[in-house]
Amino acid sequence: MALIVQKFGGTSVGTVERIEQVAEKVKKFREGGDDIVVVVSAMSGETNRLIGLATQISDQPVPRELDVMVSTGEQVTIALLAMALIKRGVPAVSYTGNQVRILTDSAHNKARILQIDDQKLRADLKAGRVVVVAGFQGVDEHGNITTLGRGGSDTTGVALAAALKADECQIYTDVDGVYTTDPRVVPKAQRLDKITFEEMLEMASLGSKVLQIRSVEFAGKYNVPLRVLHSFQEGPGTLITIDEEESMEQPIISGIAFNRDEAKLTIRGVPDTPGVAFKILGPISAANIEVDMIVQNVAHDNTTDFTFTVHRNDYKNALQVLEQTAREISAREVIGDENIAKVSIVGVGMRSHAGVASRMFEALAKETINIQMISTSEIKVSVVIEEKYLELAVRALHTAFELDAPARQGE
Amino acid sequence: MALIVQKFGGTSVGTVERIEQVAEKVKKFREGGDDIVVVVSAMSGETNRLIGLATQISDQPVPRELDVMVSTGEQVTIALLAMALIKRGVPAVSYTGNQVRILTDSAHNKARILQIDDQKLRADLKAGRVVVVAGFQGVDEHGNITTLGRGGSDTTGVALAAALKADECQIYTDVDGVYTTDPRVVPKAQRLDKITFEEMLEMASLGSKVLQIRSVEFAGKYNVPLRVLHSFQEGPGTLITIDEEESMEQPIISGIAFNRDEAKLTIRGVPDTPGVAFKILGPISAANIEVDMIVQNVAHDNTTDFTFTVHRNDYKNALQVLEQTAREISAREVIGDENIAKVSIVGVGMRSHAGVASRMFEALAKETINIQMISTSEIKVSVVIEEKYLELAVRALHTAFELDAPARQGE
């Protein structure tokens, strides 16, 4: 008999019919003998409806009051799901973040969980009840309602699993697991049975939108086995866990991640003096623009070129800031490019295998794809290429690292 | 500087625009130097929307979970009103029933308030904040969310006023006060400046829907001065208070109440033996039918006639029960009549004035209106008449007891 925390997002509970389907699923697990804690989001669209009401009053609603309002979204869902379970003869009880008590700090709209009181939940589970908890919300030490910010329901699920020392935290989504890459780009992409927290973090931060980064970090920190599953299809999903046994069969690369959300800026002919990187990035940071990749090559002729990427939405803004900086530090010119894409190979296996990067570059070279920037971490190699080559690059790397699914019978 | 509790119902906060208007009104009072606690209902339609969701899952939703859900209605309104106040530079803070802490019993969907913690509220008022409290809801000793049942927001207002020893509890509605009778029936009906709790209770129970009976009882019990006002029109409204000074000018009758909601049943030729009233009304009560007026005349020929009224919705059901009883106790016949109306004169003044009833009967006789049943209490005389004479009767009584407004200039 296992203790499982199951989290269902807004789409999975988007209608009364879907809530009934979720109740059926929970019932099956319960009948299988597992203890179940369910975490749910607001019905899809509800949070936006509530924020819409608030912004009719003020463009910048008071954060404390916005939390009072927005937290009602999940409160409705927990009640509906508990009703649907009880209707099916499954004893159930719902709790808001405040009722559990999920203690957070007082940073309204983006609070962090400090502590979870597991007493009530344990008593309910012992009494055979399914506990339905509102995701995304908590309460601060003064009794004020707080929310964890968008996507915070995943974090609630993981935090509850950690507090209860659950055997597994299952995140139900609209995909049946984590894939080697986006199946829309590479039809031969395969569902991964397992992936490590580190890999998942890299995949998530690179555009695989399956899980919230924060919940993966949290799960990794507290070593909560996390499983991504499809809400309404059967299947084992993908288990995200620590990298316990490094087996011989472990693939070098787990997946190919990519995104088209970035733009590249280069400032050329920068006098190569100490502190120049700060002079360039300081104003960017001051303008609240986040920088992703940064590349600076060795100088020659006492000048250097400095290149970095920002989110495409910040591109125009960043360009202006950088042109101002260029004048101030007497750089030669500023050039920018919005038509880029970032492609990364991710895998804990590359730690113990040399030559992964060169195999990547070779695969791209074969397709005559020019590499504009390179950046590496312990379990990832990222390159920036021209955007139009993105699909070609991903498919080439998917094949080169032997991730393609074997052709099925009849294909 | 007074401490005022102001309650705004669902229609008064039905749209964001109206919430802004309420904020304007509250702001004016605050600027006048008063301390303000505002109690609000859910935006009109919201409670029904939520119940609609619940009944999609179950015809009889679990009461505990229904409260979790329905209580979100007011939670949205308190946040919006607090935002609207803060936008206007009025410091404000919102509290749910649980946050205040409005402690109730555990009778979900119809809970009763046991105790109100006034500590937080007093601290906020002292700090110059307007406190916005969710009506209609509380929390039981186990931390479960409860609701007081429909119309419970009035009760929340009165209970808060009592706990805080407020100078006045103002109930904002869609009428500008309590009238001598329904102005749609009698155009010369006048707004009352003052009315006693007892009179208001009689008026309310007889169909004047201005205030919830429970909140008037509550206000009377704790002697909270209650004022009925129009949400969006200026005016003094009607003050409901204890009958402190019985002045000479006090009218004998404060108002004429009426309703068409009842039906009359008579069982004739009942053997006049002890316990017969119980034999007749016992089965009616067992069928969950509430009885209003009961009249039994003196017997002759050892049989008697027994008449009572029930809500018109219960008429058919009551008729069936009564026919069964008639067979069992060998009564002669059962007759019923749905086309009746009840008209009552109400006034604490009648306590000290003889002849009020005869003046009433005289006025009806003049219009040749036949009286079918009579029932009296210390401050009320009610008669049942044929429904078609209702308007005529009300107008005749309104004139006979000198309640008509003087003709205005130019009329």
Side-chain angles (χ1 to χ4, degrees):
Chain A
M1 199 181 83
L3 169 53
I4 302 175
V5 175
Q6 302 185 317
K7 183 260 167 176
F8 293 90
T11 317
S12 308
V13 294
T15 63
V16 168
E17 292 69 37
R18 289 199 159 187
I19 290 173
E20 303 254 22
Q21 280 178 274
V22 167
E24 279 298 324
K25 192 178 271 280
V26 172
K27 184 187 180 191
K28 263 186 211 159
F29 272 91
R30 187 73 197 96
E31 285 172 350
D34 293 324
D35 282 341
I36 309 285
V37 174
V38 191
V39 176
V40 286
S41 303
M43 294 168 80
S44 55
E46 182 62 8
T47 305
N48 284 335
R49 184 185 75 87
L50 292 165
I51 291 174
L53 281 174
T55 49
Q56 277 181 56
I57 286 188
S58 168
D59 287 343
Q60 301 208 305
V62 200
R64 180 194 183 276
E65 300 302 335
L66 192 61
D67 279 352
V68 170
M69 225 174 101
V70 168
S71 64
T72 63
E74 295 78 37
Q75 194 169 326
V76 169
T77 322
I78 56 171
L80 288 173
L81 181 55
M83 287 175 191
L85 285 165
I86 294 167
K87 183 173 84 171
R88 285 169 173 75
V90 180
V93 62
S94 78
Y95 291 125
T96 63
N98 173 54
Q99 287 179 313
V100 165
R101 185 178 187 230
I102 297 177
L103 182 72
T104 71
D105 58 24
S106 300
H108 286 291
N109 310 168
K110 48 177 195 283
R112 289 191 169 258
I113 296 175
L114 300 176
Q115 199 191 307
I116 290 182
D117 190 347
D118 62 354
Q119 219 180 337
K120 253 190 197 172
L121 306 191
R122 284 195 193 280
D124 283 310
L125 291 172
K126 206 174 165 189
R129 280 189 279 272
V130 168
V131 183
V132 184
V133 177
F136 172 71
Q137 59 180 248
V139 64
D140 75 2
E141 57 175 333
H142 308 293
N144 296 305
I145 296 168
T146 55
T147 67
L148 310 180
R150 289 244 160 169
S153 288
D154 284 1
T155 309
T156 304
V158 172
L160 280 169
L164 293 164
K165 295 179 182 57
D167 296 286
E168 200 168 285
C169 177
Q170 300 178 341
I171 310 280
Y172 288 87
T173 66
D174 56 356
V175 294
D176 68 347
V178 179
Y179 273 70
T180 48
T181 195
D182 187 339
R184 284 168 302 186
V185 170
V186 182
K188 285 181 177 169
Q190 299 185 75
R191 184 183 51 73
L192 294 161
D193 284 326
K194 257 184 159 182
I195 187 172
T196 69
F197 291 115
E198 286 171 287
E199 287 169 333
M200 190 64 213
L201 276 176
E202 292 288 4
M203 296 290 274
S205 66
L206 290 164
S208 294
K209 298 277 166 48
V210 178
L211 287 176
Q212 288 292 317
I213 291 182
R214 219 168 116 194
S215 64
V216 178
E217 283 174 350
F218 212 64
K221 187 172 166 191
Y222 291 98
N223 194 16
V224 173
L226 205 60
R227 190 181 292 273
V228 175
L229 298 137
H230 196 288
S231 300
F232 304 115
Q233 288 169 17
E234 296 296 315
T238 298
L239 181 67
I240 305 157
T241 182
I242 53 167
D243 183 26
E244 276 169 341
E245 73 284 357
E246 240 180 289
S247 66
M248 285 298 290
E249 306 95 63
Q250 189 167 29
I252 300 166
I253 296 300
S254 291
I256 317 287
F258 58 85
N259 81 55
R260 311 167 201 254
D261 298 337
E262 297 187 16
K264 188 182 70 171
L265 295 114
T266 301
I267 179 164
R268 300 179 73 169
V270 178
D272 188 29
T273 54
V276 76
F278 173 73
K279 276 186 194 148
I280 295 167
L281 293 182
I284 295 286
S285 162
N288 260 324
I289 299 168
E290 281 198 33
V291 169
D292 179 28
M293 287 170 80
I294 302 170
V295 171
Q296 185 188 355
N297 250 343
V298 287
H300 55 125
D301 299 342
N302 291 324
T303 68
T304 185
D305 298 345
F306 193 95
T307 303
F308 58 92
T309 64
V310 298
H311 195 281
R312 222 174 264 191
N313 295 343
D314 293 325
Y315 174 65
K316 289 216 164 55
N317 199 356
L319 204 58
Q320 276 189 337
V321 173
L322 198 59
E323 274 161 357
Q324 174 66 23
T325 304
R327 282 188 292 276
E328 287 168 14
I329 63 173
S330 309
R332 195 162 65 243
E333 64 173 337
V334 168
I335 50 176
D337 187 356
E338 285 186 283
N339 300 313
I340 61 157
K342 185 164 80 166
V343 181
S344 309
I345 54 172
V346 175
V348 292
M350 72 172 72
R351 277 183 188 142
S352 49
H353 288 78
V356 171
S358 65
R359 191 160 150 197
M360 180 187 197
F361 305 152
E362 184 192 11
L364 295 174
K366 258 192 201 161
E367 304 290 345
T368 65
I369 298 169
N370 189 37
I371 298 171
Q372 303 180 359
M373 294 173 80
I374 300 171
S375 139
T376 61
S377 80
E378 214 185 342
I379 65 161
K380 178 193 73 175
V381 181
S382 300
V383 297
V384 166
I385 59 173
E386 204 176 332
E387 187 181 6
K388 67 178 178 187
Y389 295 123
L390 174 64
E391 289 83 358
L392 178 61
V394 172
R395 278 193 291 268
L397 293 170
H398 203 264
T399 304
F401 286 100
E402 294 164 7
L403 295 171
D404 292 351
R408 270 170 260 163
Q409 292 290 330
E411 276 184 296
Chain B
M1 197 181 85
L3 169 53
I4 301 175
V5 175
Q6 303 185 317
K7 182 258 166 179
F8 293 89
T11 318
S12 308
V13 293
T15 61
V16 168
E17 290 70 35
R18 291 198 156 187
I19 290 173
E20 303 255 22
Q21 280 178 273
V22 167
E24 279 300 323
K25 191 177 272 281
V26 171
K27 185 188 179 190
K28 263 185 213 156
F29 272 91
R30 187 73 198 95
E31 286 172 350
D34 295 323
D35 281 340
I36 309 285
V37 174
V38 190
V39 176
V40 286
S41 303
M43 295 169 80
S44 57
E46 182 62 7
T47 305
N48 284 335
R49 184 185 75 86
L50 292 166
I51 291 175
L53 281 176
T55 49
Q56 278 182 55
I57 286 187
S58 167
D59 288 341
Q60 302 208 306
V62 199
R64 179 193 184 276
E65 300 302 336
L66 192 61
D67 279 351
V68 170
M69 226 175 102
V70 168
S71 63
T72 62
E74 295 78 37
Q75 193 169 326
V76 169
T77 322
I78 56 171
L80 289 173
L81 181 55
M83 287 174 193
L85 285 165
I86 293 167
K87 183 174 82 173
R88 284 168 174 75
V90 180
V93 62
S94 77
Y95 291 125
T96 62
N98 173 54
Q99 286 179 313
V100 166
R101 189 177 184 230
I102 298 178
L103 183 70
T104 72
D105 59 23
S106 300
H108 285 291
N109 310 167
K110 48 178 195 284
R112 288 189 169 260
I113 296 175
L114 300 178
Q115 200 192 307
I116 290 183
D117 191 347
D118 62 354
Q119 218 181 338
K120 253 188 197 173
L121 306 192
R122 285 195 192 281
D124 283 310
L125 291 172
K126 205 174 166 189
R129 280 189 278 271
V130 168
V131 183
V132 184
V133 177
F136 171 71
Q137 60 179 246
V139 64
D140 75 2
E141 57 175 333
H142 307 295
N144 296 306
I145 296 168
T146 55
T147 67
L148 311 179
R150 289 244 162 169
S153 288
D154 284 2
T155 309
T156 303
V158 173
L160 280 169
L164 293 165
K165 294 179 184 55
D167 296 286
E168 200 168 284
C169 178
Q170 300 178 340
I171 309 280
Y172 288 87
T173 66
D174 55 356
V175 295
D176 67 348
V178 180
Y179 273 69
T180 48
T181 195
D182 187 338
R184 284 168 303 184
V185 171
V186 182
K188 286 181 177 170
Q190 298 185 75
R191 185 184 51 75
L192 294 159
D193 283 328
K194 254 185 161 185
I195 187 172
T196 68
F197 290 116
E198 286 171 287
E199 288 169 332
M200 190 64 211
L201 277 176
E202 293 288 5
M203 297 289 274
S205 66
L206 290 165
S208 294
K209 299 277 165 51
V210 178
L211 286 176
Q212 287 292 318
I213 291 184
R214 219 168 117 193
S215 63
V216 179
E217 284 175 349
F218 211 64
K221 187 172 166 190
Y222 291 99
N223 193 15
V224 173
L226 206 58
R227 190 181 292 274
V228 175
L229 298 137
H230 196 288
S231 301
F232 304 114
Q233 289 169 18
E234 294 298 314
T238 298
L239 182 66
I240 305 157
T241 181
I242 53 166
D243 183 26
E244 276 169 340
E245 73 283 356
E246 240 178 291
S247 67
M248 285 299 289
E249 308 94 65
Q250 187 165 30
I252 300 166
I253 296 300
S254 291
I256 317 286
F258 58 86
N259 80 54
R260 311 167 201 254
D261 297 338
E262 297 188 14
K264 188 182 70 169
L265 295 115
T266 301
I267 179 164
R268 300 180 73 171
V270 178
D272 187 28
T273 54
V276 75
F278 173 73
K279 274 185 195 148
I280 294 166
L281 293 181
I284 295 287
S285 162
N288 259 324
I289 299 169
E290 282 198 31
V291 169
D292 179 26
M293 288 171 80
I294 302 170
V295 172
Q296 186 189 354
N297 250 344
V298 287
H300 55 123
D301 300 343
N302 291 324
T303 68
T304 185
D305 297 344
F306 192 96
T307 302
F308 58 92
T309 63
V310 297
H311 195 280
R312 221 173 263 192
N313 294 343
D314 292 325
Y315 174 65
K316 288 216 164 57
N317 199 355
L319 203 59
Q320 275 189 338
V321 173
L322 197 59
E323 273 162 357
Q324 172 68 23
T325 305
R327 282 190 291 276
E328 286 168 15
I329 63 173
S330 309
R332 195 162 64 244
E333 64 173 336
V334 169
I335 50 175
D337 186 357
E338 284 186 284
N339 300 313
I340 60 158
K342 186 165 79 166
V343 181
S344 310
I345 55 173
V346 175
V348 291
M350 71 170 75
R351 276 185 188 141
S352 50
H353 288 78
V356 171
S358 65
R359 191 158 150 199
M360 181 188 197
F361 304 152
E362 184 192 10
L364 296 173
K366 258 192 203 160
E367 304 290 346
T368 66
I369 297 170
N370 190 38
I371 296 171
Q372 302 180 358
M373 294 172 79
I374 300 172
S375 136
T376 61
S377 80
E378 216 185 341
I379 65 161
K380 180 194 72 175
V381 181
S382 301
V383 298
V384 166
I385 59 172
E386 206 176 331
E387 186 180 8
K388 66 179 177 187
Y389 294 122
L390 174 64
E391 287 84 358
L392 178 60
V394 173
R395 278 193 292 267
L397 293 170
H398 204 264
T399 304
F401 286 100
E402 295 163 6
L403 296 171
D404 292 352
R408 270 168 261 166
Q409 295 288 330
E411 275 183 298

